Amino acid sequence: MMRAKLVGASLALVLIAAPAMAEDWDFVLTNDTGKTVTQVELSPAGTAKWAAQRTDEGVSSEVKNGNDWTVHFDKSKDTCDYDVRLTFADKSTVVWTGLNVCDNAFAEFSYRNGNPVIVVDDD
């Protein structure tokens, strides 16, 4: 009986100490920026902890203006809201903020009045 309590207590400590595991996640990015995207990075909103999207070796992640791209990344269990940083062929970068990846499978990245905006399709 005492052994069972020790095993149960040890298991509870392991579960408490275990880090939150990331989940495989994706969304479709539509590039309406007027430029070719060469890199997509995501960060939990407001943290600036950028991680590049996952790509298969040998597959180009270049997204020409007007095209769609499925972005694969590891989603944290802690948040659904992400900032997205796009790097363009001219080496410039722009950050779009507040994409809710839990509720939106499709997101169009563009500019309105010179400001980066994300238009989501809830379908």
Side-chain angles (χ1 to χ4, degrees):
M1 183 68 161
M2 180 62 126
R3 180 179 220 170
K5 285 182 182 179
L6 288 174
V7 169
S10 296
L11 181 58
L13 286 174
V14 168
L15 292 176
I16 290 170
M21 301 302 286
E23 296 178 57
D24 291 338
W25 212 261
D26 59 22
F27 69 92
V28 176
L29 176 151
T30 299
N31 178 8
D32 194 21
T33 64
K35 297 180 178 184
T36 298
V37 173
T38 58
Q39 184 174 17
V40 179
E41 298 170 286
L42 290 98
S43 173
T47 66
K49 294 181 180 179
W50 300 106
Q53 68 170 330
R54 289 191 329 267
T55 56
D56 294 327
E57 189 173 328
V59 175
S60 171
S61 60
E62 183 176 278
V63 187
K64 295 192 182 301
N65 186 57
N67 289 347
D68 297 333
W69 177 260
T70 301
V71 176
H72 304 286
F73 66 102
D74 293 326
K75 181 188 156 303
S76 166
K77 290 187 184 271
D78 298 333
T79 187
C80 289
D81 295 323
Y82 279 78
D83 296 336
V84 180
R85 181 168 65 184
L86 301 182
T87 301
F88 300 101
D90 65 4
K91 305 296 184 210
S92 65
T93 61
V94 177
V95 174
W96 278 258
T97 59
L99 174 62
N100 183 316
V101 297
C102 296
D103 295 337
N104 302 292
F106 300 91
E108 178 183 299
F109 290 73
S110 62
Y111 295 98
R112 184 172 298 138
N113 298 325
N115 297 312
V117 295
I118 301 171
V119 178
V120 295
D121 181 1
D122 296 327
D123 295 341

